[in-house]
C-alpha cells in the first residue's frame, strides 16, 4: 500500500493557475509548484514581496498587476457566468474584484474610493497596504433580483459561498506577506 501511494504521488502533475495581466513578465513573478494540498507561493520580484495563497483558492482567482505598477489586484473567478466577467477597457482582467495590495503612497489621492485599509508589511523600504474598493463587485453574486435561470442561480450561490470563504481567509494570506530579494 505504501509503495502504491508513493508511485501515485510521484506520477501526479500539479498546475498553479495564477492569471496575470499581459504587462506582468515571468521575471517579475514566480509561482511555486508544490503539491495541491499545500499553499501556492506567489512571488513578485519587481515589487519585492511574496504571499502564500491557500490551495483551496486554486482556479478561483487571478492576480493582475495594477495599472500604475505599484501593486497587485486579486479577482475572484467562479463557476457562474457573472463571476467570469471580462472588462472591455482591460481585456486581461477576468473576474470580480476582491482586494488589492499596493504601496501606501499609491492610494493617497484615492482615499475616498478605498475601504478596509490594512497595513501588510514593508518590502525594499516601501510600505505596502491592502485595501478594497468602496463598491462591492462580488455582491452581485448574492443579488436576489438577478434574472438568471435556475442553473446559473445555483452557480451564483455556490460562488458566493466560495468567495465568502476566500474573504474569511484573506487576513491569513496577508499575514504571509514577506519581503524577497
Amino acid at each position: 500500500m505504501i509503495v502504491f501511494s508513493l508511485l501515485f504521488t510521484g506520477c501526479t502533475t500539479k498546475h498553479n493557475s495564477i492569471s496575470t495581466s499581459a504587462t506582468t513578465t515571468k521575471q517579475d513573478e514566480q509561482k511555486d509548484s508544490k503539491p495541491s494540498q499545500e499553499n501556492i507561493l506567489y512571488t513578485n520580484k519587481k515589487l519585492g514581496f511574496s504571499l502564500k495563497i491557500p490551495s483551496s483558492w486554486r482556479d478561483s482567482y487571478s492576480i493582475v498587476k495594477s495599472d500604475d505598477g505599484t501593486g497587485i489586484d486579486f479577482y475572484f473567478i467562479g463557476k457562474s457566468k457573472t463571476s467570469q466577467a471580462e472588462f472591455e477597457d482591460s481585456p486581461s482582467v477576468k473576474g470580480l474584484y476582491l482586494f488589492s495590495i499596493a504601496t501606501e503612497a499609491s492610494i493617497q489621492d484615492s482615499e475616498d474610493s478605498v475601504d478596509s485599509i490594512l497595513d501588510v508589511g514593508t518590502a525594499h523600504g516601501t510600505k505596502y497596504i491592502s485595501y478594497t474598493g468602496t463598491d462591492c463587485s462580488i455582491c452581485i453574486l448574492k443579488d436576489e433580483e438577478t434574472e438568471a435561470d435556475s442553473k446559473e442561480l445555483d452557480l451564483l450561490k455556490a460562488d458566493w459561498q466560495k468567495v465568502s470563504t476566500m474573504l474569511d481567509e484573506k487576513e491569513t494570506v496577508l499575514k504571509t506577506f514577506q519581503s524577497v530579494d
Side-chain angles (χ1 to χ4, degrees):
M1 184 68 133
I2 295 172
V3 172
F4 178 76
S5 295
L6 290 173
L7 285 174
F8 182 75
T9 303
C11 293
T12 58
T13 305
K14 284 39 164 216
H15 299 285
N16 292 333
S17 61
I18 297 177
S19 302
T20 58
S21 70
T23 57
T24 302
T25 64
K26 294 271 186 201
Q27 185 178 5
D28 292 340
E29 176 181 316
Q30 294 177 338
K31 294 161 285 238
D32 188 75
S33 58
K34 298 285 183 198
S36 60
Q37 66 272 18
E38 293 183 24
N39 289 333
I40 301 162
L41 180 64
Y42 170 83
T43 301
N44 189 309
K45 288 184 179 181
K46 184 174 182 182
L47 297 176
F49 66 82
S50 69
L51 299 167
K52 291 180 183 172
I53 300 166
S55 63
S56 61
W57 290 26
R58 190 175 311 282
D59 299 326
S60 297
Y61 72 100
S62 66
I63 298 174
V64 179
K65 187 168 101 175
S66 62
D67 290 339
D68 62 4
T70 61
I72 57 175
D73 301 320
F74 280 77
Y75 290 85
F76 170 73
I77 302 171
K79 304 291 184 199
S80 66
K81 291 177 186 173
T82 303
S83 69
Q84 296 178 13
E86 293 183 4
F87 298 85
E88 290 178 21
D89 56 341
S90 298
S92 63
V93 177
K94 182 179 177 183
L96 300 173
Y97 174 76
L98 280 176
F99 66 95
S100 299
I101 298 174
T103 63
E104 182 179 48
S106 69
I107 66 156
Q108 288 179 352
D109 294 334
S110 309
E111 289 182 357
D112 292 342
S113 61
V114 298
D115 202 4
S116 304
I117 300 170
L118 298 169
D119 289 337
V120 178
T122 302
H124 298 198
T126 302
K127 185 175 180 180
Y128 284 89
I129 58 166
S130 172
Y131 62 91
T132 61
T134 53
D135 61 339
C136 179
S137 68
I138 59 170
C139 291
I140 195 169
L141 297 173
K142 66 175 186 170
D143 184 1
E144 294 179 6
E145 296 180 24
T146 300
E147 292 184 28
D149 62 27
S150 62
K151 182 180 178 182
E152 180 69 4
L153 288 173
D154 289 343
L155 292 172
L156 287 168
K157 287 178 187 176
D159 283 351
W160 180 251
Q161 289 175 341
K162 177 69 175 183
V163 78
S164 295
T165 300
M166 290 170 69
L167 289 174
D168 288 344
E169 297 170 338
K170 173 184 148 186
E171 191 172 326
T172 302
V173 171
L174 297 176
K175 286 180 180 179
T176 69
F177 180 94
Q178 199 168 35
S179 181
V180 296
D181 293 326

